[in-house]
Amino acid sequence: MRTIALALTLFFAATAFAQLRLNTSIYPANVDAKQDVAEALQRAKTEHKRLLLVFGADWCYDCHVLDARFHEFNIAPIVDKNFVVVHIDIGQGEKNADLAQKYQIPVNKGVPSVAVVTADDKLLYSTQHGEISPTRRLPASNIIDFLEKWAPKS
């Protein structure tokens, strides 16, 4: 029984890793993050949503895991209905430091890090202590609870 469980675990881990490897540019290097945020704010106003700013980097496995989790069948509808997601590249920790500071993201405590922002650019919440890292161990229910807590109230 242990052998079967181990084999299944390895199979699912390998499959998940392969899927994540296909999506290697969720944090493109030459993107103007400030412009992305400004455009997302406009979209959030129009669509009555909040911003979900995800600070991370392409080298970060858990950043890819979080992005994949946002696309899962039970999580994607919540994200799509309530949030405009913006990925903000931190490079090796030095990139977009001004945005990290503005949205109170201590990138030195780990990524991915998330900020929830209103369409009027008011910070509602930011991870301060690596609360969502390591994402690979975070149950879907925790992500759903987080998203539902910070979704705009109708």
Side-chain angles (χ1 to χ4, degrees), residues 61-102:
Y61 179 77
D62 280 316
C63 297
H64 288 271
V65 171
L66 183 61
D67 184 65
R69 300 298 300 274
F70 284 164
H71 293 90
E72 289 178 0
F73 77 96
N74 56 340
I75 297 175
I78 301 167
V79 173
D80 295 342
K81 178 182 176 187
N82 298 293
F83 299 96
V84 176
V85 178
V86 180
H87 292 93
I88 300 175
D89 185 22
I90 65 153
Q92 296 298 318
E94 77 294 342
K95 196 170 178 186
N96 293 309
D98 53 341
L99 286 175
Q101 182 177 8
K102 176 179 179 177

Side-chain angles (χ1 to χ4, degrees), residues 1-20 61:
M1 191 65 166
R2 279 187 179 165
T3 305
I4 292 171
L6 178 60
L8 285 173
T9 301
L10 291 173
F11 171 78
F12 287 120
T15 302
F17 184 74
Q19 288 174 336
L20 294 175
Y61 179 77

Side-chain angles (χ1 to χ4, degrees), residues 12-28:
F12 287 120
T15 302
F17 184 74
Q19 288 174 336
L20 294 175
R21 296 282 299 156
L22 294 175
N23 190 9
T24 59
S25 62
I26 56 174
Y27 297 93

